[in-house]
Amino acid sequence: MPTSFGNRRALLKVVVAAALATTAATVPGAAPALAATTADGFASVNALGQNGTTGGAGGAVVTATTTAQFLAYIARPEPLVVQVKGTITLPTGTSDGMHAVASDKTIIGLGSDARLVGGGLTIGLPVDDDVTSPPADAVHNIIIRNLALTGATDDLINVQMFSHHIWIDHNDFSNGDDGAVDIKRGSDFVTVSWNRFHDHDKTLLLGHDDDNGAQDIGRLRVTYHHNYFDGSDQRNPRVRFGESVHVYNNYYRDNSYGVASAMNAGVVLEGNYFFSVNNPGRVDFSGDLGRMVARDNILVECNHEIELRGSVVEPRTYYAYALNRAAEVPTIVPAGAGTGRI
């Protein structure tokens, strides 16, 4: 799909307007699809001894209304469904505001006003550069849904050290000091879906360093779908090493760049809608070149075309999925992404 220059811009606007009119006629009230009840994308894949991502299913259901309750629940070793009611303030303390989540947890907000403020969540063991394959006690099987996370002094969510089978769905991310959702150090089988990212700079980091191939190569398999990048400036996502990285049916609005693939990462970019994005997709970024396959994307008022290079292992090798038409994305995604929709 060409970028919007001169006459091509005018023609594309006409085409898109017609497509959106058709969508409005066929999708009454612009209603989004019903929220999934089970993980999809890479989080659904059976691997590493884990049968998809089920979180705290089968464990007790508890409700946290205070900071002390919340921190105690997320640290417990057994499966647990932790419901968050109202606003929980995460202290900075000695951890720079990052608080560890143990395996087999579902953390889910109640209603439309559940919030974590002032700190963030770490999913993963402490950093150890000498560990280059998944340890037996790697953190795994985590679901985080229907929460607003804002005002962290570091990351809002940090996934690290070979953590796997993580589903981050229908959340609202804003105003973190560093990343919104950073995934790094050999983490694998993750889905980031139906979230809204806004008032944030460095949004999604996948692979933290050009020199970390020993942990990352052959891992960092992540699906990003139906997210609303609502003026989030950059790293939507910024990828090193991972393959396959599947970015589909996301809505990009007013971003400096969308997706950057580097250090031989392999990204499949399909069915997305880019509006007023300077660089929708890049493989010549920093470090070694990445790889990118792009299809069925729409670009409007963008300054550059998507950069293409090489071939990428197809996501359908791992899981089945259904695409919305890219022309539907500006209607469906803002109506369905974020909190209060599940």
Side-chain angles (χ1 to χ4, degrees), residues 63-81:
T63 301
T65 60
T66 68
T67 300
Q69 288 174 335
F70 179 77
L71 295 180
Y73 290 147
I74 66 172
R76 281 166 55 171
E78 73 271 20
L80 205 63
V81 176

Side-chain angles (χ1 to χ4, degrees), residues 1-6 8-9 12-13 252-258 272-281 297-306:
M1 176 63 65
T3 50
S4 49
F5 298 107
R8 289 183 295 170
R9 173 184 293 183
L12 184 55
K13 284 184 175 180
Y252 292 84
R253 189 191 66 81
D254 287 336
N255 321 102
S256 64
Y257 75 83
N272 302 284
Y273 191 106
F274 296 89
F275 175 78
S276 187
V277 180
N278 185 40
N279 282 284
N297 300 287
I298 290 178
L299 280 63
V300 177
E301 297 189 12
C302 299
N303 294 325
H304 301 277
E305 298 188 11
I306 295 170

